Amino acid sequence: MKAKYWRMVFADTFIFLLRFDTRDELLWRINDLCLYLNHYITKSGQVYKLSLSMGIYEVDGETDDIVSMADRAYIARQTIKNKGDTAWAFYDGAVRDKLLHEKEIESQMERALAEGEFIAYYQPKYSTKEQRLIGAEALVRWRRSDDVIVPPYQFVPLFERNGFINKLDRYMFELVCRQQTLWLGEGLAPVPISVNMSRMCLYDPHIVDEYIGILEESGLPAAYVKLELTESAFFENTSIMNGVIEALHKVGIKVLMDDFGTGYSSMMMLKNVDIDVLKLDKSFVDDIGDERSEKIISNIIYLAHSLQIEVTAEGVETKAQFEFLRDVGCDYIQGYYFGKPQPAEAFADLLQKETWNGSDADADTKS
Ligand code: C2E
Ligand code: CA
Ligand code: CA
């Protein structure tokens, strides 16, 4: 316990004990402290802006010892998402439960990966004009040994923080390559399947070589897999991204920009990166029916097409949304209106029913 305490007050980590009567008063004092420290002036007159990240534990009893109080403040601080901004978080029971749950997941993840508990669900994509099955997206699920299916929002954000996402994404890519090879071997006519790649993967300099190695090893033609990278990844590091896209294009792997329209400078991204398909985020699709939103959507599609980029709309749930998107020239549709993410066996049945014309391998990408 003692060692832990000293770890918590080491280097640039400090403990404050502040008196307060109400939470409001406490927050005022914290705010003052931040203002003061955020404009720290050195002897030479230089102004430093410090980003403070604070965990707050409200002492409300006399039974707590200093170590466990500091421990709880430390745990609260770990819940702050945007490290680098000044922010604070209070410790409460929910925080503790969440962290315990995350610790449990972390203790299981390696074993789960080794034992094949991570599986792919496939969500179909359809062409808007002929309403033909032209592709799918592989979405990870954790099928626990008790057969409970855990959705990605319960573990992907944690894996992005602890770095495990790189391993999981590589595994998913390998899984999809193997699955597609198997389907080809069985005489099915697979459609191209896109696999999500977390923006964290871009910081690994070997990533592209590894993905290309996986593809080559599987023997699958490159036209059967694509990669989806979220828009924020493009924004964070355009030059790395361009290198990655160029290398992927060289071997014939197409790149989709996921969640388009959710970042600050979506349009700039179109200017700077050579993507094949733009995935219009569900938040736009949800606003169909509103005149201004509809104008924005049709102009995004117009702009994308003028740059030879095709557009897939995601999260399409209703006939009205589908018809609007068809009428403004959106190329492809993904959403519950046409089909939910489904296990491999169900998707294989769909493939059997809706045979893809293999001559059109670039169906949902620019030619
Ligand atoms: P995403 O890549 O934007 O995936 C689309 C999400 O929207 C999927 O949720 C899908 O099930 C859901 N969706 C599709 N159509 C509809 C619809 O019509 N209505 C509604 N309400 N939702 C729809 P899912 O499978 O829960 O995945 C959530 C997110 O988790 C994904 O968002 C992606 O960011 C992440 N994710 C999933 N699989 C992977 C993976 O293998 N690697 C990485 N890095 N992230 C993944
Ligand atoms: Ca995606
Ligand atoms: Ca998306």
Side-chain angles (χ1 to χ4, degrees):
M1 283 299 252
K2 218 166 184 181
K4 200 171 179 188
Y5 175 68
W6 288 115
R7 179 168 59 81
M8 287 187 288
V9 287
F10 183 72
D12 59 352
T13 305
F14 304 92
I15 291 177
F16 285 93
L17 270 171
L18 296 177
R19 280 181 195 282
F20 69 101
D21 286 324
T22 62
R23 224 185 217 205
D24 278 352
E25 186 196 336
L26 176 65
L27 286 173
W28 274 112
R29 293 196 64 184
I30 287 172
N31 198 36
D32 276 351
L33 195 71
C34 290
L35 284 176
Y36 180 71
L37 289 170
N38 266 342
H39 295 91
Y40 176 72
I41 302 173
T42 62
K43 276 188 193 145
S44 61
Q46 205 174 354
V47 179
Y48 277 105
K49 201 165 159 16
L50 298 175
S51 295
L52 307 169
S53 143
M54 285 173 281
I56 306 165
Y57 175 62
E58 292 164 287
V59 183
D60 58 2
E62 288 173 19
T63 51
D64 295 325
D65 62 273
I66 183 77
V67 176
S68 42
M69 289 192 281
D71 202 19
R72 286 170 196 164
Y74 185 76
I75 288 172
R77 194 174 70 108
Q78 282 181 298
T79 65
I80 296 172
K81 288 209 181 84
N82 297 324
K83 299 266 155 50
D85 292 340
T86 288
W88 56 74
F90 282 90
Y91 176 89
D92 57 26
V95 167
R96 187 201 53 214
D97 291 350
K98 182 168 176 271
L99 287 172
L100 283 176
H101 183 62
E102 289 189 344
K103 286 258 162 349
E104 167 72 14
I105 292 178
E106 283 185 317
S107 71
Q108 299 278 324
M109 61 195 190
E110 291 282 0
R111 182 203 52 76
L113 188 73
E115 294 179 5
E117 288 188 6
F118 291 103
I119 57 168
Y121 269 35
Y122 298 90
Q123 184 173 33
K125 298 179 188 175
Y126 284 81
S127 66
T128 320
K129 273 195 212 117
E130 307 87 16
Q131 295 170 46
R132 193 165 57 96
L133 178 71
I134 54 85
E137 176 178 6
L139 293 153
V140 68
R141 299 288 181 268
W142 183 343
R143 186 176 58 202
R144 291 191 337 211
S145 51
D146 55 6
D147 272 346
V148 170
I149 304 282
V150 186
Y153 74 85
Q154 290 193 16
F155 55 88
V156 165
L158 170 65
F159 292 172
E160 286 185 330
R161 274 182 277 132
N162 69 15
F164 190 67
I165 198 69
N166 291 23
K167 260 190 181 176
L168 179 62
D169 278 353
R170 256 197 318 266
Y171 176 82
M172 290 296 289
F173 185 71
E174 198 176 342
L175 188 80
V176 168
C177 289
R178 265 191 280 132
Q179 180 65 77
Q180 290 279 66
T181 312
L182 216 72
W183 279 334
L184 271 174
E186 287 170 3
L188 279 172
V191 288
I193 292 178
S194 58
V195 182
N196 289 286
M197 190 189 213
S198 164
R199 62 181 188 282
M200 303 314 291
C201 294
L202 296 176
Y203 298 103
D204 175 353
H206 309 295
I207 199 77
V208 176
D209 289 343
E210 285 179 16
Y211 273 60
I212 293 171
I214 291 170
L215 178 71
E216 282 172 356
E217 199 152 305
S218 73
L220 185 76
Y224 287 104
V225 275
K226 295 169 194 228
L227 287 169
E228 292 196 8
L229 275 143
T230 185
E231 187 197 70
S232 57
F234 292 78
F235 178 73
E236 276 168 24
N237 210 322
T238 314
S239 64
I240 293 186
M241 186 59 97
N242 276 327
V244 167
I245 296 177
E246 200 183 319
L248 291 170
H249 279 171
K250 245 185 214 155
V251 295
I253 299 177
K254 308 272 176 163
V255 178
L256 292 80
M257 190 191 275
D258 205 354
D259 309 324
F260 182 83
T262 54
Y264 323 92
S265 54
S266 309
M267 296 302 164
M268 284 300 280
M269 288 299 100
L270 289 188
K271 181 170 88 81
N272 295 334
V273 290
D274 182 23
I275 51 150
D276 303 288
V277 183
L278 172 163
K279 290 191 82 177
L280 190 69
D281 191 66
K282 182 176 188 310
S283 52
F284 285 101
V285 175
D286 288 342
D287 285 344
I288 291 174
D290 168 70
E291 200 183 324
R292 287 174 76 91
S293 302
E294 289 185 349
K295 280 191 182 143
I296 293 173
I297 296 173
S298 58
N299 279 293
I300 289 175
I301 294 171
Y302 174 80
L303 182 68
H305 284 171
S306 67
L307 296 169
Q308 277 79 51
I309 297 169
E310 293 196 323
V311 182
T312 299
E314 53 181 355
V316 178
E317 294 180 342
T318 67
K319 186 162 186 262
Q321 289 170 344
F322 161 65
E323 285 174 351
F324 169 78
L325 289 161
R326 182 196 56 202
D327 294 347
V328 294
C330 178
D331 305 281
Y332 309 108
I333 302 282
Q334 180 181 350
Y336 295 172
Y337 181 64
F338 279 111
K340 289 196 169 179
Q342 45 201 281
E345 307 73 44
F347 187 69
D349 290 345
L350 191 69
L351 279 176
Q352 210 140 30
K353 273 189 244 140
E354 305 201 31
T355 305
W356 177 56
N357 171 7
S359 63
D360 186 11
D362 286 344
D364 77 341
T365 62
K366 71 183 179 188
S367 48

